[in-house]
Amino acid sequence: MNYSVNKEGYYGSFGGAYIPEMLYPNIEEIKNNYQKIISSQKFKNEYNALLANYAGRPTPLYFAKRLSEKYKTNIYLKREDLLHTGAHKINNTLGQILIAKHLGKKRIIAETGAGQHGVATATVCALMGLQCIVYMGEVDIERQAPNVARMKMLGAKVVSTTSGSKTLKDATNEAIRDWINNATDTYYIIGSVVGPHPYPDLVAKLQSVISKEIKLQLRTKPNYVIACVGGGSNAAGAFYHFMNDKNVKLIAVEAAGKGIKSGHSAATMVLGKPGIIHGSKTMLMQNSDGQITEPYSISAGLDYPGVGPIHAHLFDTDRAKFVSITDAEALKAAYQLAKLEGIIPALESAHALAYLGKLKAKKNETVVVNLSGRGDKDLSTYIKHLPI
Ligand SMILES: *Cc1c(COP(=O)(O)O)cnc(C)c1O
């Protein structure tokens, strides 16, 4: 089985580039150049130096002793939470800003829902001295005030979108409109393994540093790699170098929200059907008319109605197991990690941790959990639900 993208941009029957004709030149420019750029020595030198000296790579692979005792197995945490800006997203934005520079672009646009990708983009734009415009739904701007403040402090312009449900979907539409109108000088930084080809492949390759390091750090082969899935970039990065090794079981954890059947969840694989979102064919939560269902999760980063095409393919071919975890289970796992290991995880990552309670790994087996981000941003949610 092949888990890489083919020439047309497909993973099995998923992926592709379903875009308006007016976007062709923009996408073609990236498609025709990204492989050459990221495999050039110049790019590798710049990217690796920034990952090491600016972002803080390699991140530790930490043996979680007390958590391992609790679940009677061997648990390692890949500490992406220790990166600059607090999550794995910086691996992607650093790589894409270098591509933008190689293509001679002067202006960067991005869309953001919870604001995490907006902050990671504003950060690298400040670093490179490039203009940054972040599209964000009006409702999200109200909900995510601290991240809006961060983006502004970093010099980005945050544009409020007031159409539709005033959330991520509408911000994406506005960003695409901007890109069509400013094709020659503008680069669009997408935040996960989503969007038209070649973005899913590009983002997966930039995040693949996660599994490259796990392989070097662990020495033995893991039995399981567990990661949460919103769009799927941290999971794609954590799985990447293990995909062709069937002895390594890959577990992707989606957000069940208030429960799969509650009507308030983001469990795309359980509830979704094939459809087209953000320019790619993938699994998608939709009603019988094909209208996208509004997703829900307590963690803003998992609150996405689709999933990257690479994951739709891993699901379709049974290469990865897709499971879902509720808000309540994720909260419990976050409090547990704080008490047992002195680490406060992001709510997204807490979904991956919560699956440890259901995994039933054996005593001599090895489990790697990708700790995609830190919990500072979720403190107000944690305080509200504090189990004391
Ligand atoms: C954004 C985010 C996610 C979800 O995005 P993916 O593309 O699925 O990785 C997960 N964890 C954290 C900490 C995030 O900020």
Side-chain angles (χ1 to χ4, degrees):
M1 189 57 70
N2 186 358
Y3 303 106
S4 309
V5 78
N6 71 14
K7 259 225 223 46
E8 288 74 43
Y10 282 87
Y11 301 87
S13 56
F14 298 103
Y18 298 81
I19 51 171
E21 203 164 330
M22 288 170 80
L23 264 188
Y24 279 14
N26 313 39
I27 296 290
E28 283 291 305
E29 186 181 23
I30 299 172
K31 195 173 90 184
N32 294 335
N33 290 289
Y34 82 106
Q35 303 264 24
K36 202 168 55 208
I37 294 172
I38 62 177
S39 54
S40 73
Q41 204 53 51
K42 184 169 176 241
F43 175 89
K44 284 185 190 166
N45 291 346
E46 282 180 289
Y47 185 47
N48 292 334
L50 286 171
L51 287 180
N53 305 321
Y54 186 72
R57 301 210 75 92
T59 58
L61 182 71
Y62 165 68
F63 176 65
K65 185 161 171 287
R66 298 188 66 210
L67 196 66
S68 296
E69 280 164 8
K70 162 100 190 158
Y71 290 113
K72 299 185 174 55
T73 186
N74 303 289
I75 301 168
Y76 289 82
L77 304 177
K78 183 58 174 160
R79 298 291 311 273
E80 296 297 293
D81 62 310
L82 294 176
L83 287 170
H84 179 46
T85 67
H88 65 290
K89 288 193 170 70
I90 194 84
N91 302 328
N92 172 41
T93 55
L94 278 173
Q96 287 201 53
I97 198 104
L98 290 179
I99 290 172
K101 275 185 57 180
H102 280 246
L103 292 173
K105 306 296 177 182
K106 301 276 181 273
R107 186 173 170 273
I108 302 296
I109 58 171
E111 88 292 337
T112 197
Q116 296 298 109
H117 173 58
V119 170
T121 302
T123 300
V124 298
C125 287
L127 179 69
M128 296 295 168
L130 293 179
Q131 191 189 350
C132 181
I133 297 109
V134 179
Y135 289 92
M136 192 168 183
E138 193 180 38
V139 169
D140 287 333
I141 286 182
E142 277 166 34
R143 288 194 289 205
Q144 311 289 342
N147 277 340
V148 175
R150 284 186 186 101
M151 286 183 262
K152 288 185 176 164
M153 184 163 174
L154 291 160
K157 183 175 163 202
V158 180
V159 179
S160 170
T161 61
T162 53
S163 60
S165 56
K166 305 180 174 62
T167 57
L168 181 63
K169 184 157 43 77
D170 318 291
T172 304
N173 291 340
E174 282 301 319
I176 289 172
R177 209 162 298 150
D178 176 317
W179 206 22
I180 289 172
N181 291 328
N182 299 284
T184 45
D185 69 340
T186 299
Y187 183 93
Y188 183 8
I189 299 189
I190 288 185
S192 190
V193 285
V194 300
H197 178 63
Y199 278 103
D201 183 49
L202 169 59
V203 178
K205 287 197 162 97
L206 294 172
Q207 292 291 1
S208 70
V209 65
I210 299 173
S211 51
K212 189 174 153 202
E213 287 177 7
I214 293 172
K215 263 191 139 168
L216 287 170
Q217 291 166 319
L218 194 59
R219 296 203 190 125
T220 63
K221 197 184 278 189
N223 298 90
Y224 300 94
V225 179
I226 309 178
C228 66
V229 173
S233 68
N234 87 88
F239 295 169
Y240 198 88
H241 290 286
F242 298 112
M243 278 182 198
N244 291 317
D245 184 349
K246 289 281 170 58
N247 294 317
V248 182
K249 298 183 188 78
L250 308 176
I251 299 180
V253 185
E254 295 190 302
K258 294 179 178 164
I260 296 286
K261 294 186 181 131
S262 67
H264 302 278
S265 92
T268 308
M269 295 308 189
V270 186
L271 299 170
K273 288 187 309 226
I276 289 166
I277 183 171
H278 298 165
S280 117
K281 185 173 173 211
T282 187
M283 295 292 281
L284 177 59
M285 298 199 329
Q286 50 193 313
N287 67 17
S288 50
D289 302 329
Q291 291 282 12
I292 293 168
T293 317
E294 202 59 40
Y296 163 84
S297 164
I298 193 169
S299 72
L302 301 185
D303 180 348
Y304 182 72
V307 66
I310 188 170
H311 292 291
H313 183 54
L314 291 173
F315 173 76
D316 208 33
T317 56
D318 267 338
R319 176 63 190 96
K321 179 174 175 179
F322 283 77
V323 298
S324 46
I325 287 293
T326 64
D327 291 355
E329 291 169 324
L331 282 168
K332 204 169 147 216
Y335 294 121
Q336 179 180 267
L337 188 74
K339 291 246 167 73
L340 285 180
E341 297 288 349
I343 299 169
I344 299 176
L347 263 167
E348 292 84 358
S349 321
H351 285 71
L353 291 163
Y355 193 68
L356 287 169
K358 305 188 176 187
L359 181 64
K360 297 198 171 65
K362 298 198 185 78
K363 209 169 168 191
N364 61 347
E365 290 187 314
T366 299
V367 184
V368 176
V369 180
N370 196 37
L371 207 67
S372 55
R374 69 177 81 128
D376 305 30
K377 68 180 179 57
D378 299 314
L379 220 56
S380 65
T381 309
Y382 287 147
I383 290 167
K384 216 174 348 181
H385 293 89
L386 211 57
I388 293 176

